Amino acid sequence: MSEEVMGNHTDRQPTGGAAVVLGTRPEIIKLASVIHELGEDAWMIHTGQHYDPMLSDVFFESLGLPTPAYKLTDVGGTTRPQQFARMLQHLDRIFTERQPEVVIVQGDTNSVSAGAQAANYHGIPVVHVEAGLRSYDRAMPEEINRQVVAALADVHCAPTQVSARNLRASGVPDEAIHVTGNTVVEATLRALPDATAITSLLDRFGLTDDSYVLATIHRPSNTDDPQRLKAILEELAHLELPVLLPLHPRTAGRIRDFGLTEILGDLIVCPPLDYTDFLGLASRSRLIVSDSGGIQEECTVIKRPVIVLRDNTERPEAIETGFARLATPGIGMRNAIAALLRDETLHRNLRHRPSPFGDGNASIRIARLARNYMRVQAESTPQAA
């Protein structure tokens, strides 16, 4: 297999415009509406960081996105240094050949950091979507990626005022910071299935409305530590409510490696869900238990409580507004889950609480900012006589 594969969605090679660098499921989801807003002005480079089709291809299809102009095939499944080296090598060649007017990246993955670095080396303006999140935990690779991109980006699209303050504190000038809201709001609203589809999903898994827990586990801090992973699975298995666990491929591998497969017998385990199905099931759950960053935002749109299995979070807004609660595996997780399950007024209280992540128009604002750079580039290019 070649190192990169050209997409076939257009007969012309992509030139100029906005190159959107993405490589993971959350990036595809959160950038979909920006790509739709930009239309033919946008072309995608998929780094292949998430290479399992259930974490990549299925989302391009379900979100109505065109085939990426480039898809790298030698990145996924390698070490972090190897990922960076290979992504930078490919992006250097792509940006030399195609010379985009602006590069758009989203979030805090290795793909985001590599995309921003490669663009900066080529003198191409960088628009960072979801800029300014901070956990202040340098043990998290994502935190390092966020800080690297903050030093390189030209346009910082902060989802909230909290994120904007973080950027100012790190020395980013005010004129480069734009509080746009988070694209997760429109992504969630667009993808949420109707009541009939949700009922069909519940029937498929033998679940009833408001009477089950939805759980997702994938972060290395939880999956690479056998004791921590065992504690999480055992706490979920001991709950009185049914627990649906869409199993990330990486987590499934760790469970096998650590000999924990037997615990899964007390859970309802399924492969990763597409975005629409996941949101539908999340919206009818009694409680969500997860170490995901995105679900801390999505829960504020679907109005469901989340136990966040982490020591810290870069999304304090979800905690402060009562949608999320931090907990560590073991007794902390057990107590947090018990407290939320006992609170019979929780769902009613959350139902009318606004999301702290914006009004659903973030993509329009971000596309406008990207086009501003594209216009500047076009105006500065000498016209042929």
Side-chain angles (χ1 to χ4, degrees):
M1 184 177 288
S2 63
E3 291 182 344
E4 67 191 42
V5 179
M6 283 294 300
N8 56 10
H9 65 284
T10 177
D11 293 331
R12 66 177 179 84
Q13 303 289 358
T15 57
V20 182
V21 179
L22 39 70
T24 67
R25 170 185 178 272
E27 293 165 83
I28 299 168
I29 291 169
K30 289 186 174 182
L31 284 171
S33 52
V34 175
I35 294 165
H36 285 304
E37 284 292 330
L38 288 170
E40 293 185 357
D41 288 332
W43 49 279
M44 289 180 287
I45 303 168
H46 185 9
T47 68
Q49 184 175 336
H50 276 179
Y51 55 93
D52 188 305
M54 292 301 294
L55 297 176
S56 57
D57 296 354
V58 68
F59 292 97
F60 286 105
E61 296 167 6
S62 65
L63 295 169
L65 294 172
T67 302
Y70 295 85
K71 182 176 181 180
L72 310 184
T73 60
D74 63 346
V75 170
T78 61
T79 66
R80 192 165 181 242
Q82 288 172 333
Q83 285 188 6
F84 275 112
R86 295 177 184 185
M87 284 191 280
L88 286 170
Q89 181 183 21
H90 291 308
L91 290 169
D92 173 52
R93 183 168 68 254
I94 293 169
F95 291 162
T96 298
E97 294 172 353
R98 303 304 171 206
Q99 299 178 354
E101 295 161 288
V102 66
V103 168
I104 300 174
V105 295
Q106 188 278 328
D108 53 21
T109 69
N110 295 344
S111 299
V112 174
S113 183
Q117 290 179 62
N120 181 265
Y121 300 155
H122 279 263
I124 304 168
V126 175
V127 174
H128 184 202
V129 177
E130 200 177 83
L133 277 64
R134 294 291 182 272
S135 68
Y136 298 103
D137 180 359
R138 290 175 62 86
M140 294 179 64
E142 296 89 346
E143 182 69 7
I144 302 301
N145 290 337
R146 286 189 283 263
Q147 295 192 26
V148 168
V149 180
L152 299 173
D154 300 273
V155 179
H156 303 257
C157 299
T160 67
Q161 291 293 347
V162 171
S163 301
R165 287 198 296 270
N166 292 338
L167 290 167
R168 293 188 191 99
S170 65
V172 177
D174 278 347
E175 60 269 22
I177 302 170
H178 304 267
V179 179
T180 59
N182 196 310
T183 59
V184 75
V185 177
E186 50 259 52
T188 302
L189 292 173
R190 178 180 291 181
L192 192 64
D194 61 26
T196 301
I198 296 175
T199 298
S200 177
L201 278 170
L202 294 175
D203 291 343
R204 173 176 149 197
F205 291 105
L207 301 171
T208 56
D209 199 4
D210 197 34
S211 299
Y212 61 94
V213 173
L214 178 64
T216 68
I217 309 297
H218 76 281
R219 286 190 177 273
S221 58
N222 286 325
T223 60
D224 291 356
D225 181 333
Q227 295 305 314
R228 195 172 172 107
L229 182 56
K230 181 181 180 183
I232 293 170
L233 294 175
E234 287 183 338
E235 290 298 331
L236 292 174
H238 290 154
L239 291 178
E240 293 183 3
L241 293 177
V243 177
L244 177 62
L245 177 65
L247 202 53
H248 191 287
R250 189 173 179 282
T251 308
R254 294 296 185 271
I255 289 173
R256 288 193 300 271
D257 294 343
F258 300 148
L260 303 174
T261 305
E262 186 175 344
I263 304 175
L264 297 180
D266 294 318
L267 306 171
I268 304 171
V269 179
C270 68
L273 299 165
D274 71 29
Y275 191 49
T276 293
D277 287 352
F278 177 81
L279 287 176
L281 289 164
S283 71
R284 296 294 183 87
S285 67
R286 179 74 176 275
L287 174 68
I288 304 165
V289 178
S290 178
D291 57 10
S292 165
I295 193 60
Q296 296 175 59
E297 301 159 345
E298 292 153 353
C299 74
T300 72
V301 181
I302 62 173
K303 313 304 180 187
R304 280 299 188 263
V306 177
I307 297 292
V308 182
L309 295 178
R310 290 169 52 180
D311 298 324
N312 50 56
T313 180
E314 63 284 349
R315 295 168 172 86
E317 298 91 341
I319 306 289
E320 294 164 359
T321 51
F323 287 98
R325 182 177 299 188
L326 286 174
T328 54
I331 189 65
M333 173 182 173
R334 184 183 313 163
N335 290 339
I337 291 175
L340 292 188
L341 291 180
R342 283 196 306 268
D343 188 346
E344 296 182 357
T345 66
L346 182 60
H347 285 185
R348 185 166 63 251
N349 292 337
L350 295 180
R351 190 175 302 135
H352 303 294
R353 197 167 295 174
S355 169
F357 296 108
D359 59 2
N361 293 309
S363 300
I364 296 172
R365 299 182 184 106
I366 292 164
R368 186 183 303 130
L369 289 165
R371 282 204 168 97
N372 285 343
Y373 267 89
M374 293 160 64
R375 282 197 295 270
V376 169
Q377 183 77 3
E379 292 168 359
S380 64
T381 302
Q383 298 298 311

